[in-house]
Amino acid sequence: MAKRKIKTVDISKRRAKGSGSYGRYYRLSTTRGVKVLGDESGGWDRLKDVDFSEARRELRLLNRAKCRLVPKAFGVVGVYRKGDWYAGILMEHCEGTTLYQSRLSDASRDRWLERLEDEFFKLTGMTHGDLHESNVMYHKRKCKIIDFTPQYVG
């Protein structure tokens, strides 16, 4: 059986646009971004420990949840940064800020989260067990759910 060649992305000269408990996100262009998988609390050393099976599992989940509330996922990539390699997911870039960073009132943010949770379930038949203000991008009165860590969605 022939080995599949994995595409690569170099982020050595880029700054993270966002980071969370399970990775860092980098904007690559106006239409593409990459999520580098790993535990943010362990720094870059922990990111190196993530294997591609975790990235493939999250990619399958993103593709299963395909709807307008979720960024399109294009594939698993090898991410190069200053001499080291990491696992990542190439995806549609989501412009804007997180709901947490938005200038919306607490009540408005809560209403957005309730609507997203209901609509996500109606569109996909899945529930998101970790939907909060930092997992949602907000831009021009539209939202996208950006965090699909497999242990929380199903």
Side-chain angles (χ1 to χ4, degrees):
M1 184 161 127
K3 288 186 178 181
R4 278 192 299 187
K5 186 171 179 168
I6 293 182
K7 293 181 181 179
T8 61
V9 175
D10 185 348
I11 59 167
S12 298
K13 295 180 180 173
R14 298 185 185 271
R15 286 187 23 214
K17 182 168 171 58
S19 62
S21 61
Y22 204 69
R24 295 180 184 180
Y25 175 79
Y26 291 83
R27 178 181 174 176
L28 301 175
S29 71
T30 57
T31 60
R32 300 282 189 270
V34 65
K35 178 181 180 182
V36 182
L37 301 181
D39 182 351
E40 179 71 13
S41 64
W44 282 102
D45 289 337
R46 169 61 181 103
L47 291 175
K48 283 194 293 191
D49 294 339
V50 175
D51 64 24
F52 285 90
S53 64
E54 290 182 52
R56 286 187 192 99
R57 192 167 41 250
E58 187 166 341
L59 177 66
R60 280 193 299 273
L61 187 60
L62 280 164
N63 286 329
R64 203 175 109 211
K66 206 177 273 186
C67 69
R68 62 185 160 77
L69 301 176
V70 178
K72 293 178 183 108
F74 303 109
V76 172
V77 293
V79 180
Y80 178 80
R81 179 184 181 270
K82 299 181 180 177
D84 289 314
W85 290 93
Y86 308 91
I89 299 174
L90 186 64
M91 56 184 17
E92 168 189 20
H93 172 65
C94 297
E95 196 61 54
T97 62
T98 64
L99 266 181
Y100 178 76
Q101 296 166 323
S102 72
R103 294 184 175 170
L104 297 173
S105 68
D106 288 344
S108 290
R109 288 194 293 248
D110 289 344
R111 282 193 300 274
W112 268 109
L113 288 171
E114 284 176 27
R115 280 187 285 196
L116 282 170
E117 195 168 359
D118 290 344
E119 195 168 350
F120 180 71
F121 182 75
K122 286 176 190 171
L123 292 171
T124 66
M126 297 188 306
T127 58
H128 192 298
D130 191 34
L131 191 59
H132 56 78
E133 298 166 330
S134 295
N135 287 346
V136 175
M137 291 297 287
Y138 177 80
H139 184 63
K140 295 184 179 178
R141 301 202 40 79
K142 292 184 181 175
C143 286
K144 290 229 181 199
I145 303 168
I146 56 172
D147 190 356
F148 279 85
T149 308
Q151 68 254 30
Y152 296 120
V153 181

